[in-house]
Amino acid sequence: MFSFNNICKILPLSAGLLLVGCSDFLDRESDSYINKQTTFSSYERTAQYLTGVYSLLPEGLNRFGSNAMLGDATDDAEFVIESSNIQKFNLGAWNAIDNPDDQWNRFYAGIRKACEFIESADQVNLDSYRLDPQSQIEYNNRLKDIRIWKAEARFLRAYYHFELLKRYGPIPVVTSTLDLNGDYENTPRPTMKDVVDFITKECDEAANDLELTPWRNVNDALGHATKGAALALKSRTLLYAASPLYVAFGDINEANKPSDAALWKAAADAAKAVIDLNQYQLADNYGDLFKNDFKNKEYIFVRRYTANTNLERSNFPVSFGGEGGTCPSQNLVDDYEMLDGTPFDWNRPARAAQPFVNRDKRLEATILMNMASFKNRKVETFPGGADASPVPNATKTGYYLRKFLNEDVNIQTGGSSSGHVVPLFRLAEIYLNYAEALNEYDPTNPDIAVYLNKIRNRASLPNVPSGLSQEQMRKVIQHERRIELAFEEHRFWDVRRWKIASSTLGAPVKGIQIARKPAGGFTYQPVEVEQRVFQPKMYWYPIPQSELLKLTKWEQNNGWN
């Protein structure tokens, strides 16, 4: 690491130069870096520096206060601890100064590191190999390593731009280093197209140099970007860019949902390009996919965590030593279909009497219900049960999270702890991207059903009904994304880009009221748990107030003034 006297250069685009602000986050790191030449003359230290670029990838799982998840700020869940900063989203108590998910500094730090790496990696001194006739194979291998590393850094730079874009809208595009003392006060804001075009171009260029699999030591390189990762990022970026919220940036009126067939076609083509790599396949079992199976062929790009018990300690039911944590909502539970493909309906007495029987298999893999088997005994969320109120930190909704948890771990001793895998891209998402984009510009295309059915059939569900209208298929696709990608940080963004957040994020969160029957068994009734607040301005995050003081020609995002 080294001392920065410069940050990142802005990219001249059609809208003019694009600014990057200097943040305290960057300044605070400066003293920890050693000399730049010392870093990048060494092959080993250069490799270590790339690891530092990766370290700023999005955190998944329990990254908010008190170990809350982003899903707790959606209609999919409620977090048990009221003092967690995630509750600010739910109460509408956030702004340009206090944002629980303000990632501006983090991702610009990642961009800066990626810029520095791309510019400096070719300085690695390989003379000891180049001049040795016996080391020519290793010399050429290391040259290839450096070329691939630079492509990985380019991918990461694009990824960090996308993470900023989906939060704040069009943001400064950074491509190289620039003197810290430059004056960019009058720089105009780029357009949505400017930023999307930059990200997708970066993805294409990175994909050209990346390989389908890590080419040297596969075990050491797991978690590094591949060609599939770059193309998957392009797929997600173009899907978002075609969505109503992005097509008319700044229009936060939910009645206006513009659509552009050319944008949807580009998104469909990008998703199909990933599929056509023929490098990935759906896992046989949905539940097993989230049990630290980082080598699973469904994964395209993941973030891995070393063995620990933090996630389990935060989310195990309270009688199992956990803190309750993320409590899935009745809103989400109700959306899981019956195994025959029909919707669950509380108005059908037989189903209401046994609401967890004969449901989509992803329900049991994702959520712990009352009397679910867990660690060789039952979860008790009924009144008076070991996992129910008034036990401290007991579930607010009647449900606990199961997805991602290692059930074998002993929270008290740490025994049987394992790592965790956060899927940043997996094949099921790409199938859903493809189906959604196709439905918007070519709604009769048979591939829509083909790829939806691949996902549904894994969950033992029947095929999508034939003869659906475009709007009906749109609802099916939105439903499948919610269920398939639950708690993988998609719902929070999907309902925004679709411009349906008032009726989802703004709807009351529900739970289940359970009562014992005198003759045995239980009755179940949905109940309201919490009122939620969503205002149209919340479709985009406010630009941090500290940045607007530098970006004097920029206006705050619509509604946050």
Side-chain angles (χ1 to χ4, degrees):
M1 313 289 288
F2 52 93
S3 177
F4 279 104
N5 293 318
N6 39 30
I7 54 173
C8 296
K9 186 176 180 181
I10 52 183
L11 176 66
L13 295 174
S14 59
L17 292 178
L18 310 179
L19 171 68
V20 58
C22 310
S23 73
D24 291 339
F25 183 94
L26 305 186
D27 296 339
R28 284 198 296 269
E29 286 198 327
S30 61
D31 292 339
S32 67
Y33 295 148
I34 64 175
N35 180 270
K36 176 178 177 180
Q37 183 177 358
T38 302
T39 297
F40 288 107
S41 63
S42 163
Y43 174 89
E44 289 76 15
R45 283 192 290 270
T46 299
Q48 292 169 0
Y49 191 88
L50 180 60
T51 300
V53 185
Y54 274 99
S55 71
L56 292 167
L57 279 167
E59 299 278 359
L61 305 179
N62 47 339
R63 64 184 178 88
F64 290 90
S66 304
N67 296 319
M69 305 174 77
L70 187 61
D72 295 311
T74 73
D75 53 342
D76 285 350
E78 166 63 6
F79 193 61
V80 75
I81 299 175
E82 290 293 339
S83 60
S84 170
N85 63 352
I86 199 70
Q87 304 292 3
K88 293 179 180 180
F89 279 128
N90 300 333
L91 300 173
W94 56 293
N95 53 49
I97 298 173
D98 185 5
N99 179 349
D101 189 38
D102 183 4
Q103 299 289 317
W104 188 280
N105 288 348
R106 177 190 181 92
F107 291 127
Y108 272 119
I111 290 167
R112 184 204 64 214
K113 289 184 176 184
C115 290
E116 214 46 78
F117 187 92
I118 293 166
E119 294 175 357
S120 305
D122 288 329
Q123 298 173 19
V124 172
N125 187 339
L126 297 176
D127 284 353
S128 62
Y129 296 95
R130 180 176 63 85
L131 299 174
D132 180 2
Q134 304 302 315
S135 300
Q136 292 306 293
I137 292 177
E138 181 61 17
Y139 172 63
N140 285 301
N141 283 345
R142 292 195 172 205
L143 286 175
K144 183 174 180 179
D145 283 338
I146 292 167
R147 185 177 74 252
I148 289 176
W149 291 348
K150 289 173 66 177
E152 291 178 38
R154 175 158 282 183
F155 159 78
L156 292 170
R157 185 169 68 181
Y159 199 158
Y160 297 146
H161 277 92
F162 172 76
E163 288 295 318
L164 289 161
L165 175 69
K166 76 181 185 183
R167 288 170 168 83
Y168 305 100
I171 38 79
V173 172
V174 175
T175 61
S176 57
T177 56
L178 179 69
D179 191 312
L180 182 63
N181 297 317
D183 181 8
Y184 311 107
E185 180 179 359
N186 296 318
T187 302
R189 190 172 189 176
T191 66
M192 180 67 72
K193 184 177 185 301
D194 287 334
V195 183
V196 170
D197 286 351
F198 168 73
I199 295 170
T200 55
K201 183 174 183 291
E202 288 279 277
C203 291
D204 285 337
E205 293 187 5
N208 285 338
D209 283 331
L210 292 170
E211 301 200 351
L212 288 173
T213 59
W215 80 283
R216 286 260 247 171
N217 186 326
V218 173
N219 289 328
D220 289 346
L222 284 170
H224 281 245
T226 59
K227 184 186 296 288
L231 295 180
L233 175 58
K234 180 180 179 181
S235 167
R236 187 184 294 173
T237 300
L238 290 176
L239 183 79
Y240 277 51
S243 300
L245 184 66
Y246 288 68
V247 172
F249 173 69
D251 181 354
I252 52 178
N253 184 343
E254 291 187 348
N256 300 331
K257 296 181 180 177
S259 183
D260 185 324
L263 294 177
W264 286 115
K265 184 179 187 307
D269 291 345
K272 192 60 160 58
V274 181
I275 295 169
D276 287 346
L277 292 175
N278 294 318
Q279 184 65 27
Y280 310 102
Q281 61 189 46
L282 291 183
D284 292 334
N285 184 290
Y286 179 84
D288 290 346
L289 184 60
F290 306 103
K291 296 181 178 179
N292 196 33
D293 186 10
F294 56 86
K295 293 184 180 181
N296 196 288
K297 291 288 288 182
E298 184 166 337
Y299 287 143
I300 299 173
F301 188 55
V302 301
R303 177 156 193 165
R304 295 168 60 191
Y305 292 86
T306 56
N308 65 82
T309 63
N310 295 340
L311 185 68
E312 289 74 25
R313 187 180 303 276
S314 298
N315 290 286
F316 267 17
V318 288
S319 75
F320 295 80
E323 298 170 357
T326 293
C327 306
S329 68
Q330 191 65 47
N331 314 51
L332 174 61
V333 172
D334 284 349
D335 228 15
Y336 286 85
E337 295 176 9
M338 305 300 294
L339 281 177
D340 63 5
T342 58
F344 177 80
D345 187 352
W346 283 104
N347 293 316
R348 298 183 65 171
R351 293 183 177 181
Q354 294 183 300
F356 313 130
V357 175
N358 294 325
R359 302 289 291 276
D360 181 331
K361 291 186 178 299
R362 292 170 291 188
L363 174 60
E364 185 178 12
T366 304
I367 298 171
L368 288 169
M369 294 81 69
N370 183 46
M371 302 307 291
S373 295
F374 187 71
K375 292 180 71 69
N376 299 317
R377 61 185 179 90
K378 300 293 186 181
V379 175
E380 300 179 353
T381 63
F382 57 83
D387 300 297
S389 180
V391 177
N393 292 337
T395 174
K396 293 181 179 181
T397 63
Y399 302 101
Y400 290 94
L401 182 69
R402 181 172 229 157
K403 190 172 179 177
F404 296 116
L405 299 184
N406 170 18
E407 297 182 26
D408 296 327
V409 71
N410 185 313
I411 290 178
Q412 280 70 38
T413 67
S416 300
S417 63
S418 67
H420 297 91
V421 176
V422 177
L424 299 178
F425 297 100
R426 61 184 179 95
L427 184 61
E429 179 202 343
I430 303 302
Y431 284 175
L432 290 165
N433 292 355
Y434 182 49
E436 180 179 346
L438 275 182
N439 186 59
E440 296 301 332
Y441 90 93
D442 186 14
T444 62
N445 194 307
D447 270 3
I448 299 168
V450 168
Y451 286 93
L452 287 176
N453 290 337
K454 288 176 184 289
I455 294 171
R456 291 174 58 83
N457 293 165
R458 174 170 65 179
S460 299
L461 294 176
N463 290 344
V464 174
S466 60
L468 297 181
S469 68
Q470 183 184 41
E471 176 60 23
Q472 289 171 326
M473 185 63 82
R474 183 180 294 127
K475 295 296 185 184
V476 169
I477 293 166
Q478 292 178 355
H479 160 84
E480 284 298 327
R481 285 189 72 93
R482 182 184 198 180
I483 299 302
E484 177 67 24
L485 305 176
F487 301 105
E488 297 178 44
E489 295 205 354
H490 288 274
R491 180 72 174 174
F492 188 89
W493 309 110
D494 281 345
V495 296
R496 282 174 161 83
R497 65 184 180 84
W498 295 326
K499 297 180 79 170
I500 61 170
S502 291
S503 60
T504 52
L505 304 186
V509 168
K510 296 180 180 180
I512 193 75
Q513 185 178 72
I514 307 171
R516 281 184 175 274
K517 295 193 293 187
F522 303 92
T523 62
Y524 298 90
Q525 181 67 38
V527 293
E528 186 173 307
V529 171
E530 181 179 83
Q531 287 283 345
R532 291 285 176 87
V533 175
F534 184 87
Q535 300 170 359
K537 67 180 181 180
M538 297 172 184
Y539 272 109
W540 298 102
Y541 287 3
I543 298 170
Q545 194 63 36
S546 59
E547 298 303 319
L548 284 181
L549 295 176
K550 306 161 193 169
L551 300 161
T552 58
K553 300 300 180 183
W554 286 39
E555 294 184 359
Q556 181 56 277
N557 283 338
N558 194 0
W560 288 105
N561 292 321

